[in-house]
Coordinates of all heavy atoms in Angstrom, one line a residue:
D95 N 17.1 14.9 36.7 CA 16.8 13.6 36.2 C 16.9 13.6 34.6 O 16.5 14.5 34.0 CB 15.4 13.1 36.6 CG 15.4 12.8 38.0 OD1 16.4 12.8 38.7 OD2 14.2 12.7 38.5
T96 N 17.5 12.5 34.1 CA 17.6 12.4 32.6 C 16.2 11.9 32.1 O 15.7 11.0 32.6 CB 18.6 11.3 32.2 OG1 19.9 11.7 32.8 CG2 18.7 11.2 30.7
A97 N 15.7 12.7 31.1 CA 14.4 12.4 30.6 C 14.5 12.0 29.1 O 15.6 12.1 28.5 CB 13.5 13.6 30.7
A98 N 13.4 11.4 28.6 CA 13.4 11.1 27.1 C 13.7 12.3 26.3 O 13.1 13.3 26.5 CB 12.1 10.4 26.8
P99 N 14.5 12.2 25.3 CA 14.8 13.3 24.4 C 13.6 13.7 23.6 O 12.8 12.8 23.2 CB 15.9 12.9 23.5 CG 15.8 11.4 23.5 CD 15.3 11.0 24.8
K100 N 13.3 15.0 23.4 CA 12.2 15.5 22.6 C 12.8 16.2 21.4 O 13.6 17.1 21.5 CB 11.4 16.5 23.4 CG 10.7 15.8 24.6 CD 9.8 16.9 25.3 CE 9.1 16.2 26.5 NZ 8.3 17.2 27.2
P101 N 12.4 15.8 20.2 CA 13.0 16.5 19.0 C 12.5 17.9 18.9 O 11.4 18.3 19.3 CB 12.4 15.6 17.9 CG 11.2 15.0 18.4 CD 11.4 14.8 19.9
S102 N 13.4 18.8 18.4 CA 13.1 20.2 18.3 C 12.0 20.3 17.2 O 11.9 19.5 16.3 CB 14.4 20.9 17.8 OG 14.0 22.2 17.3
V103 N 11.2 21.3 17.4 CA 10.1 21.5 16.5 C 10.6 21.9 15.1 O 9.8 21.8 14.1 CB 9.1 22.7 17.0 CG1 8.4 22.2 18.3 CG2 9.9 24.0 17.2
S104 N 11.8 22.3 15.0 CA 12.4 22.7 13.7 C 13.0 21.5 12.9 O 13.4 21.7 11.8 CB 13.5 23.8 13.9 OG 14.5 23.3 14.6
A105 N 13.0 20.3 13.6 CA 13.6 19.2 12.9 C 12.7 18.8 11.7 O 11.5 18.7 11.8 CB 13.7 18.0 13.8
P106 N 13.3 18.5 10.5 CA 12.5 18.2 9.3 C 11.8 16.8 9.5 O 12.3 15.9 10.1 CB 13.5 18.1 8.2 CG 14.8 17.8 8.9 CD 14.7 18.5 10.3
R107 N 10.6 16.7 8.9 CA 9.9 15.4 9.0 C 10.1 14.6 7.7 O 10.1 15.2 6.6 CB 8.4 15.7 9.2 CG 8.0 16.4 10.5 CD 6.5 16.6 10.6 NE 6.1 17.2 11.9 CZ 4.9 17.5 12.2 NH1 3.9 17.2 11.4 NH2 4.6 18.0 13.4
T108 N 10.2 13.3 7.9 CA 10.4 12.4 6.8 C 9.0 12.2 6.1 O 8.1 11.7 6.8 CB 11.0 11.1 7.2 OG1 12.3 11.4 7.8 CG2 11.2 10.2 6.0
P109 N 8.9 12.5 4.8 CA 7.6 12.3 4.2 C 7.2 10.8 4.2 O 8.0 9.9 4.0 CB 7.7 12.8 2.8 CG 9.2 12.7 2.6 CD 9.9 13.0 3.9
A110 N 5.9 10.5 4.3 CA 5.4 9.1 4.3 C 5.6 8.5 2.9 O 5.4 9.2 1.9 CB 3.9 9.1 4.7
A111 N 6.0 7.2 2.9 CA 6.2 6.6 1.6 C 4.8 6.3 0.9 O 3.8 6.0 1.6 CB 6.8 5.2 1.9
S112 N 4.8 6.5 -0.4 CA 3.6 6.3 -1.1 C 3.3 4.8 -1.2 O 4.2 4.0 -1.4 CB 3.7 6.9 -2.6 OG 4.0 8.3 -2.5
P113 N 2.0 4.4 -1.0 CA 1.7 3.0 -1.1 C 1.9 2.5 -2.5 O 1.7 3.1 -3.5 CB 0.2 3.0 -0.7 CG -0.3 4.3 -1.1 CD 0.9 5.3 -0.8

Side-chain angles (χ1 to χ4, degrees):
D95 290 347
T96 302
K100 296 181 178 180
S102 166
V103 294
S104 62
R107 295 182 180 181
T108 302
S112 299

